[in-house]
Amino acid sequence: MTLEIVLTVGAMRSCDLWLHPWGRLALGCHELFPSLEKVQMATLFTKIIEGDLPGEFVWKDECCVAFLSIAPLNPGHTLVVPRVETEHWIDLDPDVVGHIFQVTQSIGKAMEQEYAPVKVGTIVLGLEVPHVHVHVVPVWSPTDLDFHNAKAGTPPETLAREAVRIRGALVKLGYSQVAE
């Protein structure tokens, strides 16, 4: 059984969903309710990784995946995400961090080949989804990395087309972890 809860809380800050010791759910701040246990709910990215939500994958291996951002800064904007749910990259095992950046570099090389940008930029931010992810973006100017320029509502067909381009470039570069 899956429990999905969507909450919209106006100006409330630093509050989460908590579980009382006797099994009831509550919305509150742990500082105010020390007897409550925080409910761990799968992140949006975990739901994409597990196939519960759609995603345009370009890379899959035992440690991480990469899929297109649904609000791309530029065509091809990809997120490299570890399979393990961790909120902050400094809390990841150093081997996982190294692997994620190797994958980021591989995707960057594919973007360089496919899009011919001036540079391929990376950003590790994680303010909106509490699951480590590296943004990999082909860039032609510094403003290309400004999230105010994100193109929310990009049609799924457009994302699918860009994923095909990146997967094709990864195959040409000889990578076997290309998502199908």
Side-chain angles (χ1 to χ4, degrees):
M1 182 171 128
T2 302
L3 173 66
E4 186 169 330
I5 300 172
V6 178
L7 299 171
T8 304
V9 183
M12 191 179 287
R13 69 187 223 307
S14 186
C15 292
D16 295 296
L17 192 60
W18 297 85
L19 181 64
H20 283 279
W22 56 90
R24 293 194 127 157
L25 291 173
L27 180 68
C29 303
H30 71 279
E31 298 87 18
L32 301 176
F33 306 103
S35 65
L36 303 181
E37 175 186 330
K38 189 171 182 179
V39 175
Q40 288 298 103
M41 300 177 83
T43 69
L44 177 70
F45 291 160
T46 295
K47 290 181 180 197
I48 293 170
I49 292 167
E50 292 176 352
D52 297 331
L53 291 174
E56 285 295 337
F57 290 88
V58 297
W59 184 283
K60 288 184 180 180
D61 66 30
E62 69 288 339
C63 181
C64 69
V65 300
F67 49 84
L68 277 276
S69 171
I70 61 168
L73 295 172
N74 273 334
H77 179 173
T78 301
L79 306 176
V80 179
V81 184
R83 289 182 180 272
V84 60
E85 267 187 26
T86 303
E87 188 168 346
H88 199 309
W89 70 270
I90 63 174
D91 296 325
L92 285 171
D93 180 274
D95 290 337
V96 173
V97 173
H99 182 77
I100 288 170
F101 278 93
Q102 286 175 338
V103 172
T104 298
Q105 185 178 43
S106 300
I107 290 170
K109 288 177 181 180
M111 286 180 177
E112 197 170 59
Q113 180 179 320
E114 187 61 27
Y115 297 99
V118 173
K119 296 280 184 185
V120 175
T122 61
I123 301 171
V124 181
L125 201 57
L127 295 176
E128 291 195 0
V129 178
H131 191 145
V132 174
H133 55 288
V134 179
H135 296 261
V136 190
V137 185
V139 295
W140 289 267
S141 76
T143 58
D144 287 346
L145 295 178
D146 183 343
F147 282 95
H148 291 100
N149 298 327
K151 295 155 194 81
T154 299
E157 315 77 64
T158 301
L159 299 176
R161 189 171 50 250
E162 298 306 324
V164 167
R165 291 179 71 182
I166 294 169
R167 285 193 295 264
L170 287 166
V171 167
K172 286 179 191 172
L173 291 169
Y175 294 104
S176 62
Q177 302 88 343
V178 177
E180 295 180 12

